């Protein structure tokens, strides 16, 4: 059995994070020992690590809740449901990667357009390009 601080330490999260997940219904509050301290077991640790890993993979709390419900009652769910959640997140990540690629290319063009000298910025090509581009953003 673990106290909240021990549980949090083993999962590399804070005790406040454990409490937050409890409030969100993602974890059940630990059972109270006679001294009033909450006690958690290995299943709680496994669940907390599951949540932490899913969070590090970029899943939203709602998606993690869905995955947890599938994990808790696997006989009532299919792998197709889990895959749909993962595929939705993958689509979001791929879209974000496209956006980041476009940002990188724009920044590379801005950087290449600048001579980078120490003269005043009265005729700075970066500022001019940003000014010209500002009228194109809707």
């Amino acid at each position: 059995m673990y106290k909240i601080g021990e549980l949090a330490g083993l999962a590399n999260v804070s005790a406040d994070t454990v409490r937050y997940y409890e409030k969100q219904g993602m974890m059940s509050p630990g059972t109270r020992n006679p001294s009033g301290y909450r006690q958690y077991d290995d299943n709680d640790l496994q669940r907390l690590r599951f949540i932490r890993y899913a969070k590090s993979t970029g899943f939203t709390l709602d998606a993690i809740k869905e995955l947890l419900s599938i994990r808790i009652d696997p006989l009532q769910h299919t792998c197709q449901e889990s895959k749909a959640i993962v595929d939705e997140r993958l689509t979001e990540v791929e879209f974000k990667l496209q956006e980041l690629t476009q940002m990188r290319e724009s920044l590379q063009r801005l950087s290449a357009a600048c001579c980078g000298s120490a003269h005043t910025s009265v005729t700075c090509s970066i500022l001019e390009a940003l000014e010209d581009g500002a009228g194109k953003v809707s």
Side-chain angles (χ1 to χ4, degrees), residues 104-115:
R104 182 185 65 211
E105 290 168 358
S106 294
L107 290 169
Q108 287 171 335
R109 281 192 301 274
L110 285 172
S111 180
C114 181
C115 65

Side-chain angles (χ1 to χ4, degrees), residues 13-120:
V13 299
S14 69
D16 286 340
T17 298
V18 175
R19 289 184 196 97
Y20 177 76
Y21 291 151
E22 289 173 352
K23 287 179 187 172
Q24 297 300 311
M26 300 169 75
M27 290 189 62
S28 58
T31 57
R32 299 254 182 208
N33 68 12
S35 305
Y37 289 104
R38 291 183 190 176
Q39 297 269 286
Y40 300 88
D41 61 21
D42 287 331
N43 289 331
D44 297 313
L45 177 58
Q46 182 178 357
R47 175 176 282 230
L48 187 54
R49 286 178 172 162
F50 179 100
I51 294 167
R52 186 176 156 267
Y53 180 68
K55 186 91 175 107
S56 75
T57 308
F59 288 107
T60 63
L61 291 182
D62 286 338
I64 296 170
K65 286 178 188 178
E66 287 183 59
L67 290 166
L68 281 170
S69 70
I70 294 169
R71 185 72 184 129
I72 291 168
D73 196 3
L75 295 176
Q76 300 301 313
H77 298 278
T78 65
C79 287
Q80 184 178 20
E81 292 172 82
S82 299
K83 183 170 174 38
I85 295 168
V86 169
D87 287 347
E88 180 180 339
R89 180 64 187 140
L90 182 58
T91 299
E92 293 167 0
V93 168
E94 287 173 348
F95 179 75
K96 186 61 118 179
L97 284 171
Q98 289 174 347
E99 285 182 322
L100 289 171
T101 298
Q102 290 172 351
M103 282 185 216
R104 182 185 65 211
E105 290 168 358
S106 294
L107 290 169
Q108 287 171 335
R109 281 192 301 274
L110 285 172
S111 180
C114 181
C115 65
S117 71
H119 67 75
T120 67

